[in-house]
């Protein structure tokens, strides 16, 4: 069942509140299942630490690229990237502003925060 009218919000490097390896394992499984089950959201919005997931060196690049190739819009917060000094390290998604993230949320019938 597609989630095409859904926006997923990521605001940390991983999923939930736990130690880093567990957070990343949970997110890795979640994203892989989105692809496997063809339950693709319309957008995934990244802000604060989550923008690092789409940058050079991230273990999530292959999965995020697969989601993007399947039509999922990956929107990265420009302010956050600039704050971390990693705008030039982005490897997947588009760099947008908070207005782009708000537009994705407004367009969505459902917003899920992980």
């Amino acid at each position: 069942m597609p989630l095409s009218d859904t926006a997923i919000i990521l605001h940390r490097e991983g999923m939930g509140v736990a130690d880093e390896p567990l957070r990343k394992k949970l997110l890795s499984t979640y994203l892989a299942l989105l692809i496997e089950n063809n339950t693709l959201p319309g957008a995934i919005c990244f802000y604060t630490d989550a923008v690092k997931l789409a940058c050079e060196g991230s273990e999530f690049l292959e999965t995020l690229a697969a989601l993007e190739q399947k039509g999922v819009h990956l929107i990265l917060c420009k302010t956050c990237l600039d704050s971390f000094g990693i705008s030039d390290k982005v490897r997947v998604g588009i760099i947008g502003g908070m207005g782009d993230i708000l537009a994705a949320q407004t367009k969505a019938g459902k917003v899920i925060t992980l």
Side-chain angles (χ1 to χ4, degrees):
M1 174 158 96
L3 297 174
S4 57
D5 72 334
T6 301
I8 295 176
I9 307 300
L10 292 174
H11 58 90
R12 61 175 63 100
E13 282 187 277
M15 190 172 163
V17 179
D19 62 346
E20 184 178 335
L22 178 56
R23 286 193 324 264
K24 287 185 172 184
K25 172 69 174 154
L26 292 173
L27 183 60
S28 177
T29 301
Y30 184 90
L31 295 176
L33 286 171
L34 287 178
I35 295 167
E36 232 176 81
N37 296 324
N38 202 35
T39 51
L40 303 172
I44 301 177
C45 304
F46 301 77
Y47 61 91
T48 62
D49 287 331
V51 297
K52 297 173 184 175
L53 299 170
C55 291
E56 183 179 297
S58 169
E59 63 199 74
F60 292 89
L61 290 179
E62 187 176 314
T63 303
L64 292 174
L67 286 163
E68 190 171 45
Q69 288 172 353
K70 290 183 172 285
V72 178
H73 300 283
L74 307 178
I75 306 166
L76 311 172
C77 173
K78 180 182 181 345
T79 302
C80 301
L81 291 164
D82 290 346
S83 178
F84 293 122
I86 56 175
S87 293
D88 61 332
K89 305 275 189 224
V90 172
R91 296 298 174 257
V92 293
I94 61 158
I95 298 173
M98 197 53 70
D100 298 302
I101 292 173
L102 180 59
Q105 291 176 341
T106 303
K107 180 181 173 185
K110 179 176 12 178
V111 177
I112 299 171
T113 302
L114 300 179

